[in-house]
Amino acid sequence: MIKRLILIVALLCSAFPAFAVNPDEMLADPALEARAREISTHLRCLVCQNQSIDDSNAELAKDLRVLVRDRIEKGETNEQVIDYIVSRYGEFVLLKPRFEMQTLLLWGMPAFLALVGLVGIVVFSIKRRKSPSGKPLSEAEKAALEQILKN
């Protein structure tokens, strides 16, 4: 009984991504539809922001999917379709931004932060190895310490 329930839930969950693209949006030519799907997986839904337009049920995502298919039917290449959509909606529409001068900070920041963290760890470990004051105890401090330890 439990195994059947788990199997049913697993089958239902595996079908969720297929709900986004409606049959009326699909192209008759399977090769063109495959190209449209490939392009759609790289474009961000501007409403959901964390999903591709291929996975989103938002109206704007549907409009973008239709736009992609229209441009493909007109004979444009994948790059031309993506360039057209980027020209209308900006670089933000790409799930993986292009490596350009405008996105250099975006691409370089993780490496920069990792380097800053590594330098911070090295500096912290060097400081930790040294004694807190950097000089030995005076005779009066040693006597006071001995007195505290005896009590």
Side-chain angles (χ1 to χ4, degrees), residues 79-127:
E79 194 61 36
Q80 288 172 325
V81 173
I82 291 172
D83 288 342
Y84 176 77
I85 292 178
V86 167
S87 72
R88 287 186 72 184
Y89 296 98
E91 283 286 320
F92 183 73
V93 77
L94 297 175
L95 281 171
K96 183 179 178 188
R98 298 172 180 159
F99 188 74
E100 297 174 344
M101 285 305 292
Q102 297 104 336
T103 59
L104 185 61
L105 183 64
L106 174 70
W107 285 102
M109 191 55 72
F112 175 73
L113 291 176
L115 183 64
V116 167
L118 183 64
V119 168
I121 289 171
V122 168
V123 167
F124 177 76
S125 65
I126 288 172
K127 285 185 176 183

Side-chain angles (χ1 to χ4, degrees), residues 14-127:
S14 68
F16 282 140
F19 293 146
V21 177
N22 298 324
D24 62 330
E25 298 172 23
M26 298 175 104
L27 297 172
D29 184 358
L32 294 180
E33 179 61 27
R35 281 185 52 209
R37 287 289 183 105
E38 173 64 25
I39 293 170
S40 295
T41 59
H42 298 295
L43 298 175
R44 178 188 317 272
C45 173
L46 298 171
V47 176
C48 309
Q49 295 187 3
N50 241 4
Q51 287 182 313
S52 70
I53 62 171
D54 204 36
D55 297 332
S56 175
N57 288 320
E59 281 298 315
L60 181 59
K62 180 182 185 218
D63 293 344
L64 285 172
R65 288 192 301 266
V66 169
L67 179 63
V68 165
R69 283 163 175 77
D70 286 344
R71 304 299 285 196
I72 288 174
E73 283 182 325
K74 290 179 182 176
E76 293 186 6
T77 65
N78 291 8
E79 194 61 36
Q80 288 172 325
V81 173
I82 291 172
D83 288 342
Y84 176 77
I85 292 178
V86 167
S87 72
R88 287 186 72 184
Y89 296 98
E91 283 286 320
F92 183 73
V93 77
L94 297 175
L95 281 171
K96 183 179 178 188
R98 298 172 180 159
F99 188 74
E100 297 174 344
M101 285 305 292
Q102 297 104 336
T103 59
L104 185 61
L105 183 64
L106 174 70
W107 285 102
M109 191 55 72
F112 175 73
L113 291 176
L115 183 64
V116 167
L118 183 64
V119 168
I121 289 171
V122 168
V123 167
F124 177 76
S125 65
I126 288 172
K127 285 185 176 183

